[in-house]
Amino acid sequence: MHKRMVFTLALLLTASVALAGDSYAIKAAGYLKPDGSIEKDITLLVIDGKIGAIGQDVSVPNGVAVVERNDQMIGPGLVDVHTTLGTNGRNFEQANSIEAGARAKELFDPDHHDFKEAAAAGITTVIIAPASTHLIGGRTVVVKTGGPREERMMGEGPLKLSLTQEAFNMRRTPTSLTGGLYNLRQMIAAAEKNKNDQSAFARWARGETHALVEVGTPEGVSTLAQFAEEQGLKCVALYANQAAERLDDAKSLGQPIVLGTYEFSDPRRYTRNPNILAANDIPFALTSSAPRYQSALMRVGAAMVMKQGAPRSAVAASLTTVPAEIAGVAKRVGSLTPGKDADFILYDGDPLDLRSRMRAVFIGGERVYVSETLASHDGSKEGGKS
Amino acid sequence: MTGTVSRYTQSPIHPVDRPPLRRWGKLKYSCYCSLNGRDALTMRVICRVILGWVLLTPTTSVWAQGGGITAIRGATVLTSSDAGTIENGVVIMRGGKIADVRVSSGQAVPPMPGLNLIEAEGKYVTAGLIDAWSTLGLNPGGPIAPVATSRATDALNVYDRDAFADALRMGVTGVCVTPPAAGGFSGTAAFVRLKDLNDLAGNVTDDVCIVAQVGLGTKGPVSRLAELKALRDLLETAAAYRDALDEYDEKLEDYKKALKDGKTVKLTKDDDKEKEKKAAKKGEGRRGRGRRGRGRHPEHDHEHDHHGHTCVGIRCCDEITEDEFVEWLQSLGEKKEEGHVPGDDIGNEHVEYDPWADPDWASDEPEEKKDDAKDKKDGDKKDDDELKKPDKPAYDPVSEVLMRAIKREIPIRFEVHRPGDVLHVLKLIDTYYLDATVVGASGLLPVAENVADAKVGVIVGQVIGSAGGNDRSHLRDLNLQSAAASQHAEVSPLVLSSGRQGNGVGGQYLTQNAALAVSGGLSEDAAIRAITIEAARSCKMADEIGSLEKGKKADVVLWSGHPLAPDSVVEKVFVDGVEVYSREGGQ
Amino acid sequence: MNQRRLHRSATMALMLSAAIAVFVSAAQAQTVLLENGKIIPVNGEPIEKGSVLIKNGRIEAVGASVDAPFDAKVIDCEGKVIFPGMIDAHTWRGLDVPNESPGVTPFLNVYDAIDPSQLFFEDSLRDGVLSIHVSPGNNTIIDGLTRVVHPIGLTPEQMTTAPDVAMKLSVTPKTGYDRMRQMAEFREAFRKLDEEMAQLAEKKYEDKLREDEKDLTVPPEEAREKGKELIEPKDIPDKNRNLLMLSQGKLRNFVYCGAAMDVPAAIRTAKQYGFFDQSVFVLGSETFKAIDALKDAGRPVVLDGNLVHTEADALTGEEEETFVPKVIDDAGLKFALQRQWGSTLGERYLWYQAARCVREGISRDHALKSITLWPAEMLGLGDRLGSLEKGKDANVLVLSGDPLKMTTWVELGFVQGEKVYDKAEDIRLNRLFAAPEDELGPSTAPVSQPVEEGHTEVHQGEYEEPETDQ
């Protein structure tokens, strides 16, 4: 009986956070720093949807509500660099393989339930990308998975390309990888001539920005590395799950590698890669590929690669700072740093530990998800975890 | 081509990860470590006894038998037994068995020959993990064509040592390899202990359980309608077969006795033909009896006692005509109009739906049956005076297997996911009084109480997976799934496993699967038990392995941190007291 | 157009009959002395200059100097090599299809399906393969009886070297089966055999009592025991006869193991059902991983035509190649090489396969034995075939050079003392090599002439691998 009252109280308090309006502070047991370590007994101050301050010695201004969460830890909202959330399959362009002008910002449905699911898995920022069935899919878009609808769009992301077998078929040109690379060379040459062209493709072609390039196989990494070096391009290899087999090429790309989506059934040939990349100082990001895979697999994948020996700091970065860099929104999200958006997650333990449950997810200081099973199962939980 | 590169003649395991195989009983003479007090005394006594034994034994082969002592001291011991968690404990292994598990005194111990003392302060020790439902190392090599007579051992690729080594280095010491099923009964599972990766076949226990599936058929009957009927029919046939064999054994005894008493069987030439004819007819009759011999319709007073358990009410429709079938379908439709649809009220606590208690479900007793019985009676009477050789029931390979489940000699597992299917299976389990477990059970939540009432064990696979399923959208929220798992724990001991992954891998992430279940509300203790002792129990191995208890086989894992934490790694694995994996050199 | 087609088929028919006519007409048992040749007898040291005397279909003498009877036809083999006919240890070719669709068919016999007109036999002859073990394919469980034939003759009868040599089995799952079901079928087949034999014994005993007008006084198991001795060969039903012989260890058997994991299963099964002592294992290329088990078993093996096994490391993805015969040879096992069909390389020649073995470090002696003496031994024909020895069948080749040399041709071939092949009279070969203006020159059809749809040569596609095989 007593316990139940405590929960009701807890629920009310959580609810009050959402209602508190512009500013509030949370006292928590700790928070996950960008380097993967945990600073204990901290206060997070949220002002107008931004992080005002975080740390052990944060003075809470008068009139700001303070919520006690001394049994919980705070982690930054997760950033997922490759999803097709809310697209309902509308990202498939059948006729053309080269769609440099396509823009993902026009294709997704912001009210789709995919976003709720992603938010419930702690993913607060995502890149929505065109399908991988194109040599040049078009420009991606970076969005928040919750919060006020008009504020969700964060801007356009990098260009998305694909050098996988999927991108080539006999019904349209180019039909082969060599043909595709030939086409790219032509287009790049044209873009380099026209310095006024400020399109995403032209800027990538001139080496000013990076693009997401799906590869898949180890050979793909090598091909991409050669091509990038030849043309002076910045390329983030996507789904290069065997990049460690072409370590030198992965390194020469000079960009993070995107890995995923990891499941329990994956062989070590895939899951050992983060470990090796980290040992060679190559940053990597994990992706959920939602909705093809469950959004929740992002955290699971992180735990899996840690279990295979990947260092904690690299794994923490792979869920937050590295993907934020790739999406080009590192100034706004990716870590709990004053000035950034108040996208964070309350866990009842270490954010990187799968035993910890997500209690609530906040985007822009607004609570977008609260664990539904909180009340009904908390009893057994407290009994079990001493 | 590089000439002959035959690493397989040496060892197929990648050198980096190769566990130190065949390293029997490690000797360390110079451990100037501190060990004293009670445990030191125990160890010293044991050591001296061993030493004395060694000195008396002409050869030193005792060492090769694992005669040395290994002690892990100072760690947090998660025993998976009634002892629970022991902080600062000591686990002593000797002769392949666990000699003792208790709190360490922490005092110094002088060096002793034959003692391998591992100081493990701040570390964790558990029993070897057990993957109770796995396809690790399985290579069926063709489309899955399961039959009840299949055996998982036949598809176990003992040369896929990489896969087994991957599981071992994650703390798994035992795997229940189940035939990858495609609906219906699909044979028996095998249990493999990862004792020696070069001799996996030597550590296999066959016939651990029978495996069946509901609602996942890819061949044969694809509708639940037919699938459940097929399962019931086969069980019914097996039950009748068992009865027929028992009957035959009885008759044979009588027959032998009569022969001993000097009676003889008259053989005439005419009899020959008649007998053949009769035998043919009998064979038919037997088959018929096999299907419906013991009618189990409550309306027809055919209840009978099965090992103290009453079996009732199976529809016997092996000879169902198309018309009858249509009629039956229509009768189901009629009920629908009455607002009573099978399975409609599943999950609703107030309405109990029992398809078996439904009078319409059972058909009329076929007419011929009575005639058969009459014939038989007459025949029996006529032959009473004359001695007759009893006829053996025709061999039925499928029933031979299923009969063992009906006799409760071997447990049976039903992989079932939908709540409605779970209820049907529970009824099946009850009807045949099976020693059964429900496997998979992703949709168990609405019927958890029914499962609890039935006291049926539950084995859950991955609590999270890809979103490929059809009607699993309600389970896509991780927390809900995990909560479902925790719900199971409240109804009966839960087993967590790697599940039906189907590509020959498994077991590597048992701990992380358990960690997810913890986030869903399962206690850590229950989660650890779910991948050790409860897993062993589900494979009928709990007497030997699965927990750290005195006298059990010394399958022990030393972890750098809590086993469920993502950054803890396995430091050492012992199987039968022999160190089969050590992280040193690896990584 | 029609005319042309007619003309072509006529040419084809003519050629075929001519080819056969050449081989058959030359076939007369006679005494032949092959002299002045280099003799490679396989079972002993080569003789640099010596003679082989063939009489009554057998080898009468082999040596540096041989006394020949006055009527012997002398063939001067100066500069040539005399070599025993090569032996193909295991092939389904020569049959129309490799396997029957049911899995358990021990009552079948390849005799019923051998097609003497197949080009395969002509090619074998040209390639120096004078004994062919025609066996059902690998897509089976328990298949029928095999036969050793020579590639010459108009009927299977005429072609037969040795009938009913072995039984073919496979532990690797046949199409549509998985391993578990495959083994379940094995168990069931032998269980059924036991049961039926027991029933037969019981019946025989009762029949005897009936004949003697006696009453039955013993329980069934005793009757079965007593009835066993009463069973005569004619009582055994046809469908069980071969299987019974197999389970009694009286029948040689070739057991296919496609993967390493099948090897222990094959050994276990063979031992369990009593035919291990007569077993020859037909191996897939991956099976070298089970070399320990194979070594312990110590039975001879037939190797896959694909001699190199390539596999990517499960962890690193690095590819590794293994030359399989070397692993087998190092283990001290006797092995036979198979031809690899469907390949454009030389793998369809036994001598090429053997030459590769030498290149990879196997001794020349073993390489030569693997295409002659060892397959003869594993077929139970070690006393008849496989080497040039007095008393053996006169299956002899006269080669233009060393048997393992790329440029060597088969010049003459003798089967049981009869000259069945002469390169000079090989119409097809001559036509292939003839200059355009020659009478027998290459096809006179203009190059630009498109080949009509549906135009099929005799036995076109004969060498295509059926998908079900392997």
Side-chain angles (χ1 to χ4, degrees):
Chain A
M1 199 59 191
H2 174 71
K3 264 183 186 165
R4 177 151 294 190
M5 276 180 67
V6 172
F7 299 137
T8 321
L9 208 63
L11 274 172
L12 278 173
L13 280 172
T14 326
S16 70
V17 168
L19 299 170
D22 298 331
S23 303
Y24 55 88
I26 300 176
K27 274 191 194 286
Y31 88 101
L32 182 70
K33 293 169 79 170
D35 64 359
S37 65
I38 284 174
E39 190 175 333
K40 290 195 171 155
D41 299 324
I42 54 100
T43 305
L44 167 69
L45 182 62
V46 177
I47 301 169
D48 286 341
K50 303 265 180 206
I51 295 168
I54 189 161
Q56 286 171 344
D57 314 310
V58 171
S59 56
V60 180
N62 282 340
V64 171
V66 178
V67 188
E68 299 278 343
R69 284 287 178 272
N70 293 327
D71 58 339
Q72 294 178 11
M73 290 201 195
I74 303 176
L78 311 183
V79 183
D80 191 344
V81 290
H82 194 257
T83 72
T84 49
L85 295 180
T87 56
N88 269 335
R90 287 179 296 187
N91 54 349
F92 282 92
E93 161 61 45
Q94 298 280 348
N96 296 317
S97 183
I98 297 172
E99 287 289 354
R103 308 173 95 175
K105 74 172 188 177
E106 285 154 358
L107 71 85
F108 71 96
D109 167 14
D111 295 325
H112 199 278
H113 62 78
D114 282 352
F115 290 102
K116 280 198 192 97
E117 207 168 282
I123 298 170
T124 53
T125 307
V126 295
I127 287 185
I128 296 171
S132 307
T133 47
H134 306 76
L135 178 60
I136 305 178
R139 196 158 186 199
T140 59
V141 63
V142 187
V143 296
K144 294 266 181 93
T145 55
R149 202 174 149 178
E150 56 283 4
E151 289 168 23
R152 284 189 205 167
M153 179 88 80
M154 295 180 76
E156 287 191 278
L159 199 67
K160 156 87 185 281
L161 292 89
S162 174
L163 299 182
T164 58
Q165 279 195 329
E166 275 181 294
F168 304 105
N169 63 47
M170 296 307 288
R171 291 187 295 281
R172 59 185 193 196
T173 53
T175 58
S176 71
L177 180 60
T178 39
L181 292 179
Y182 171 77
N183 279 12
L184 278 182
R185 272 194 201 96
Q186 303 269 311
M187 290 173 69
I188 289 167
E192 275 169 350
K193 272 184 205 152
N194 184 5
K195 299 281 179 206
N196 297 328
D197 188 352
Q198 286 302 311
S199 71
F201 180 82
R203 295 190 58 219
W204 173 65
R206 293 196 295 266
E208 291 166 22
T209 60
H210 60 270
L212 285 169
V213 187
E214 188 164 336
V215 283
T217 59
E219 297 81 50
V221 176
S222 298
T223 310
L224 181 62
Q226 275 170 25
F227 190 73
E229 200 178 334
E230 170 197 313
Q231 300 288 336
L233 302 169
K234 291 180 187 163
C235 299
V236 176
L238 190 60
Y239 298 127
N241 281 350
Q242 298 165 47
E245 289 166 27
R246 303 291 168 106
L247 207 51
D248 292 340
D249 292 327
K251 218 168 192 170
S252 83
L253 281 169
Q255 295 288 330
I257 305 277
V258 182
L259 305 166
T261 303
Y262 289 125
E263 286 186 284
F264 286 150
S265 53
D266 279 338
R268 267 181 77 207
R269 189 170 174 186
Y270 302 142
T271 50
R272 74 186 188 123
N273 277 267
N275 197 356
I276 296 169
L277 293 178
N280 287 281
D281 295 324
I282 302 172
F284 61 91
L286 297 180
T287 177
S288 75
S289 316
R292 204 162 108 202
Y293 292 87
Q294 266 171 279
S295 296
L297 280 173
M298 195 148 157
R299 260 185 88 218
V300 172
M304 281 170 66
V305 300
M306 260 164 90
K307 209 69 190 166
Q308 294 288 0
R312 197 182 154 88
S313 55
V315 173
S318 75
L319 299 173
T320 52
T321 49
V322 176
E325 285 290 346
I326 295 172
V329 290
K331 280 186 184 151
R332 283 186 60 191
V333 299
S335 64
L336 297 173
T337 316
K340 286 196 181 180
D341 294 0
D343 298 353
F344 60 93
I345 305 163
L346 285 176
Y347 298 90
D348 60 5
D350 176 1
L352 294 181
D353 193 327
L354 287 185
R355 285 174 293 177
S356 316
R357 192 195 315 159
M358 263 182 259
R359 293 302 188 94
V361 179
F362 293 79
I363 294 179
E366 188 181 323
R367 199 186 65 202
V368 296
Y369 168 78
V370 63
S371 176
E372 286 170 38
T373 49
L374 190 75
S376 57
H377 288 288
D378 218 270
S380 62
K381 174 81 175 174
E382 295 227 323
K385 206 177 173 184
S386 48
Chain B
M1 199 163 64
T2 53
T4 54
V5 193
S6 53
R7 77 188 167 100
Y8 282 100
T9 53
Q10 289 142 23
S11 170
I13 298 159
H14 195 262
V16 177
D17 307 287
R18 187 189 307 143
L21 302 164
R22 301 191 200 279
R23 194 198 286 174
W24 311 105
K26 210 170 168 185
L27 293 170
K28 268 194 186 169
Y29 290 95
S30 56
C31 38
Y32 290 96
C33 42
S34 54
L35 196 76
N36 212 331
R38 270 188 308 145
D39 42 329
L41 193 71
T42 318
M43 277 184 232
R44 219 176 312 166
V45 169
I46 294 169
C47 271
R48 282 192 187 149
V49 169
I50 298 263
L51 201 64
W53 185 24
V54 169
L55 291 174
L56 290 173
T57 318
T59 66
T60 51
S61 65
V62 63
W63 297 110
Q65 303 291 319
I69 295 177
T70 305
I72 305 173
R73 206 170 77 130
T76 304
V77 183
L78 308 175
T79 61
S80 299
S81 70
D82 295 339
T85 302
I86 302 173
E87 304 279 352
N88 188 22
V90 60
V91 178
I92 303 168
M93 295 174 256
R94 179 169 71 93
K97 296 266 162 84
I98 293 168
D100 206 356
V101 180
R102 53 184 172 72
V103 178
S104 165
S105 67
Q107 285 167 324
V109 157
M112 273 179 261
L115 172 66
N116 175 18
L117 181 70
I118 300 162
E119 292 289 355
E121 216 171 306
K123 295 175 180 172
Y124 281 75
V125 178
T126 65
L129 306 187
I130 292 164
D131 194 353
W133 176 37
S134 182
T135 53
L136 181 66
L138 215 58
N139 178 13
I144 307 306
V147 283
T149 49
S150 295
R151 288 183 191 164
T153 7
D154 290 332
L156 191 68
N157 188 358
V158 293
Y159 294 98
D160 192 5
R161 291 171 194 148
D162 291 326
F164 288 101
D166 281 352
L168 186 65
R169 66 189 282 285
M170 293 302 231
V172 177
T173 59
V175 187
C176 182
V177 184
T178 48
F185 291 104
S186 44
T188 50
F191 193 88
V192 190
R193 291 182 72 216
L194 309 188
K195 185 177 176 181
D196 180 356
L197 297 189
N198 288 323
D199 183 25
L200 286 163
N203 291 293
V204 171
T205 310
D206 223 336
D207 291 357
V208 174
C209 60
I210 295 175
V211 183
Q213 270 188 325
V214 178
L216 295 148
T218 53
K219 61 176 268 293
V222 287
S223 73
R224 279 168 171 74
L225 192 75
E227 207 174 25
L228 277 160
K229 177 188 175 301
L231 286 181
R232 276 200 307 276
D233 278 359
L234 286 172
L235 283 171
E236 182 65 11
T237 308
Y241 183 72
R242 190 260 327 260
D243 294 348
L245 278 184
D246 287 350
E247 200 182 317
Y248 170 71
D249 284 347
E250 264 171 46
K251 278 188 180 170
L252 191 65
E253 271 317 300
D254 294 347
Y255 174 68
K256 279 184 184 170
K257 218 173 153 193
L259 286 174
K260 242 186 190 168
D261 294 347
K263 277 196 173 180
T264 58
V265 183
K266 297 224 177 334
L267 295 166
T268 61
K269 290 204 171 168
D270 289 346
D271 192 33
D272 197 359
K273 272 185 187 165
E274 199 183 305
K275 210 186 131 212
E276 262 172 33
K277 228 179 179 176
K278 233 181 179 172
K281 203 183 167 191
K282 264 235 161 95
E284 244 171 58
R286 257 202 319 271
R287 177 140 189 83
R289 211 166 64 221
R291 284 294 168 109
R292 68 180 121 75
R294 305 246 179 145
R296 289 175 189 184
H297 312 285
E299 303 83 8
H300 293 279
D301 290 338
H302 276 281
E303 292 187 12
H304 71 284
D305 209 58
H306 256 28
H307 300 268
H309 173 87
T310 305
C311 295
V312 290
I314 291 299
R315 178 179 165 81
C316 309
C317 36
D318 58 327
E319 280 158 15
I320 191 162
T321 64
E322 203 178 321
D323 287 349
E324 276 176 326
F325 186 68
V326 171
E327 204 179 295
W328 177 58
L329 274 179
Q330 282 168 348
S331 74
L332 289 178
E334 275 160 33
K335 272 205 269 50
K336 202 168 189 171
E337 279 159 31
E338 289 160 27
H340 186 179
V341 183
D344 204 17
D345 35 22
I346 282 161
N348 187 340
E349 289 160 34
H350 305 294
V351 187
E352 260 198 42
Y353 168 63
D354 185 358
W356 314 93
D358 197 333
D360 277 353
W361 194 273
S363 71
D364 290 336
E365 185 78 348
E367 285 292 315
E368 334 121 57
K369 211 240 143 186
K370 286 171 196 161
D371 295 346
D372 262 13
K374 208 178 160 199
D375 270 0
K376 205 175 145 242
K377 233 178 190 175
D378 289 354
D380 283 353
K381 241 179 206 168
K382 207 164 73 186
D383 296 344
D384 250 2
D385 311 329
E386 240 176 77
L387 185 60
K388 266 203 72 195
K389 192 173 74 175
D391 287 321
K392 195 176 179 182
Y395 187 88
D396 179 355
V398 172
S399 292
E400 284 282 334
V401 176
L402 298 184
M403 189 172 74
R404 298 181 62 196
I406 287 177
K407 286 181 178 172
R408 286 177 77 87
E409 287 173 3
I410 175 170
I412 187 162
R413 287 182 183 176
F414 289 96
E415 184 181 346
V416 63
H417 291 273
R418 284 196 200 168
D421 293 345
V422 173
L423 290 185
H424 282 89
V425 163
L426 288 181
K427 196 70 207 179
L428 210 59
I429 291 167
D430 184 44
T431 308
Y432 290 98
Y433 187 46
L434 300 169
D435 178 4
T437 309
V438 173
V439 178
S442 59
L444 200 61
L445 206 52
V447 291
E449 280 182 22
N450 304 52
V451 178
D453 291 346
K455 294 196 169 41
V456 168
V458 176
I459 301 178
V460 172
Q462 299 170 48
V463 298
I464 187 169
S466 63
N470 287 333
D471 50 1
R472 295 176 63 188
S473 51
H474 63 293
L475 289 167
R476 281 184 61 178
D477 185 324
L478 165 64
N479 286 333
L480 263 179
Q481 278 192 46
S482 310
S486 73
Q487 187 84 13
H488 306 161
E490 285 164 26
V491 298
S492 55
L494 173 80
V495 179
L496 289 162
S497 66
S498 62
R500 189 161 51 94
Q501 299 184 332
N503 52 356
V505 301
Q508 285 191 64
Y509 300 103
L510 275 186
T511 53
Q512 294 313 290
N513 200 31
L516 279 172
V518 170
S519 83
L522 193 67
S523 76
E524 274 181 11
D525 186 46
I528 293 286
R529 290 173 64 92
I531 52 176
T532 52
I533 184 69
E534 297 304 345
R537 196 161 284 147
S538 75
C539 304
K540 304 284 165 201
M541 307 288 248
D543 293 343
E544 295 186 341
I545 53 174
S547 64
L548 299 175
E549 280 174 274
K550 205 168 165 177
K552 280 199 175 180
K553 287 183 178 169
D555 294 2
V556 178
V557 184
L558 176 64
W559 304 79
S560 68
H562 193 286
L564 302 188
D567 45 4
S568 68
V569 293
V570 173
E571 302 214 323
K572 283 178 194 303
V573 181
F574 298 86
V575 175
D576 281 351
V578 178
E579 188 182 306
V580 292
Y581 170 78
S582 173
R583 194 169 159 251
E584 295 155 21
Q587 296 292 333
Chain C
M1 209 55 122
N2 272 340
Q3 198 123 33
R4 183 180 296 281
R5 195 179 295 172
L6 196 71
H7 174 73
R8 260 193 209 167
S9 22
T11 318
M12 282 307 302
L14 199 72
M15 276 174 60
L16 193 69
S17 55
I20 291 169
V22 165
F23 303 139
V24 178
S25 67
Q28 288 170 29
Q30 47 181 186
T31 309
V32 178
L33 181 72
L34 305 171
E35 63 171 16
N36 286 333
K38 178 182 175 177
I39 301 170
I40 302 178
V42 174
N43 65 327
E45 284 301 310
I47 301 164
E48 280 309 320
K49 216 169 181 87
S51 305
V52 174
L53 179 65
I54 297 169
K55 199 177 167 185
N56 295 332
R58 288 177 193 277
I59 297 170
E60 185 73 14
V62 180
S65 62
V66 169
D67 292 331
F70 71 96
D71 62 339
K73 185 182 175 193
V74 179
I75 298 172
D76 184 25
C77 297
E78 177 76 49
K80 308 233 156 70
V81 171
I82 305 170
F83 190 66
M86 290 179 257
I87 302 172
D88 189 334
H90 176 262
T91 183
W92 67 265
R93 274 166 230 278
L95 306 175
D96 52 345
V97 287
N99 291 100
E100 183 47 62
S101 48
V104 181
T105 53
F107 40 82
L108 295 181
N109 194 323
V110 294
Y111 173 82
D112 296 319
I114 290 176
D115 174 6
S117 71
Q118 281 198 10
L119 284 180
F120 164 74
F121 290 118
E122 198 191 306
D123 281 348
S124 294
L125 194 57
R126 187 176 294 122
D127 301 340
V129 180
L130 299 186
S131 306
I132 301 162
H133 181 216
V134 180
S135 152
N138 300 330
N139 184 19
T140 185
I141 298 169
I142 303 175
D143 215 314
L145 292 183
T146 67
R147 176 167 293 241
V148 175
V149 299
H150 34 257
I152 192 77
L154 292 170
T155 63
E157 204 73 66
Q158 283 180 5
M159 294 173 75
T160 300
T161 308
D164 306 345
V165 167
M167 170 93 86
K168 178 64 187 284
L169 303 100
S170 171
V171 280
T172 305
K174 87 184 228 86
T175 310
Y177 282 55
D178 61 16
R179 287 198 160 81
M180 295 176 283
R181 186 150 185 195
Q182 185 90 357
M183 296 317 289
E185 295 278 336
F186 259 109
R187 286 191 286 269
E188 178 59 12
F190 285 101
R191 187 207 60 77
K192 218 166 162 183
L193 175 73
D194 278 353
E195 186 184 288
E196 285 175 9
M197 290 311 293
Q199 280 171 356
L200 181 65
E202 196 177 346
K203 186 172 172 292
K204 287 297 284 184
Y205 182 68
E206 284 175 18
D207 284 352
K208 185 155 186 299
L209 290 180
R210 221 167 261 140
E211 239 167 61
D212 302 348
E213 295 187 346
K214 281 182 188 163
D215 285 354
L216 181 64
T217 56
V218 294
E221 57 265 28
E222 215 176 313
R224 285 171 179 194
E225 201 52 49
K226 288 183 172 171
K228 252 186 200 171
E229 294 141 27
L230 302 171
I231 299 177
E232 292 164 43
K234 68 172 167 55
D235 299 325
I236 299 162
D238 279 351
K239 73 181 173 85
N240 283 346
R241 188 169 289 128
N242 297 339
L243 203 56
L244 184 69
M245 276 173 71
L246 184 77
S247 69
Q248 289 171 342
K250 291 177 188 162
L251 191 58
R252 199 169 294 279
N253 53 87
F254 277 58
V255 188
Y256 177 64
C257 317
M261 64 183 288
D262 296 330
V263 171
I267 293 170
R268 208 168 49 233
T269 308
K271 283 186 173 162
Q272 187 180 349
Y273 298 114
F275 54 84
F276 176 73
D277 292 338
Q278 297 279 332
S279 286
V280 175
F281 297 115
V282 182
L283 303 179
S285 68
E286 190 223 35
T287 48
F288 70 91
K289 293 181 197 167
I291 191 66
D292 287 348
L294 286 168
K295 201 172 170 179
D296 287 348
R299 297 299 308 165
V301 296
V302 178
L303 300 183
D304 196 271
N306 182 15
L307 301 183
V308 179
H309 179 74
T310 311
E311 188 169 296
D313 188 283
L315 194 60
T316 62
E318 278 167 39
E319 288 207 336
E320 276 187 82
E321 287 184 331
T322 308
F323 189 73
V324 181
K326 178 74 176 146
V327 181
I328 302 289
D329 190 51
D330 287 347
L333 295 172
K334 287 188 176 177
F335 61 95
L337 296 172
Q338 280 190 85
R339 292 181 276 181
Q340 170 89 326
W341 296 94
S343 158
T344 52
L345 294 172
E347 292 172 3
R348 49 175 288 182
Y349 305 106
L350 272 181
W351 58 264
Y352 178 85
Q353 299 284 64
R356 288 169 75 200
C357 289
V358 175
R359 186 178 67 188
E360 299 295 340
I362 293 173
S363 71
R364 186 181 152 90
D365 178 47
H366 284 187
L368 290 179
K369 278 180 178 161
S370 72
I371 54 173
T372 52
L373 193 56
W374 285 346
E377 283 171 0
M378 59 184 80
L379 291 165
L381 300 170
D383 56 339
R384 285 182 61 192
L385 303 171
S387 64
L388 299 178
E389 274 177 272
K390 183 172 189 259
K392 282 201 174 181
D393 284 13
N395 284 14
V396 183
L397 298 171
V398 176
L399 307 173
S400 65
D402 188 84
L404 300 187
K405 224 172 141 190
M406 196 85 188
T407 50
T408 297
W409 286 93
V410 174
E411 304 247 316
L412 296 174
F414 295 86
V415 166
Q416 294 175 356
E418 293 168 8
K419 190 175 87 174
V420 293
Y421 180 76
D422 188 343
K423 183 167 165 255
E425 293 171 38
D426 186 337
I427 293 174
R428 250 188 261 273
L429 200 63
N430 288 343
R431 178 164 176 167
L432 185 70
F433 286 150
E437 61 271 20
D438 282 1
E439 197 184 333
L440 280 168
S443 170
T444 48
V447 181
S448 61
Q449 187 71 35
V451 177
E452 308 100 272
E453 205 61 38
H455 167 84
T456 51
E457 261 192 43
V458 182
H459 299 295
Q460 194 182 26
E462 191 176 295
Y463 291 127
E464 273 165 28
E465 200 72 29
E467 278 183 14
T468 49
D469 202 5
Q470 305 282 329

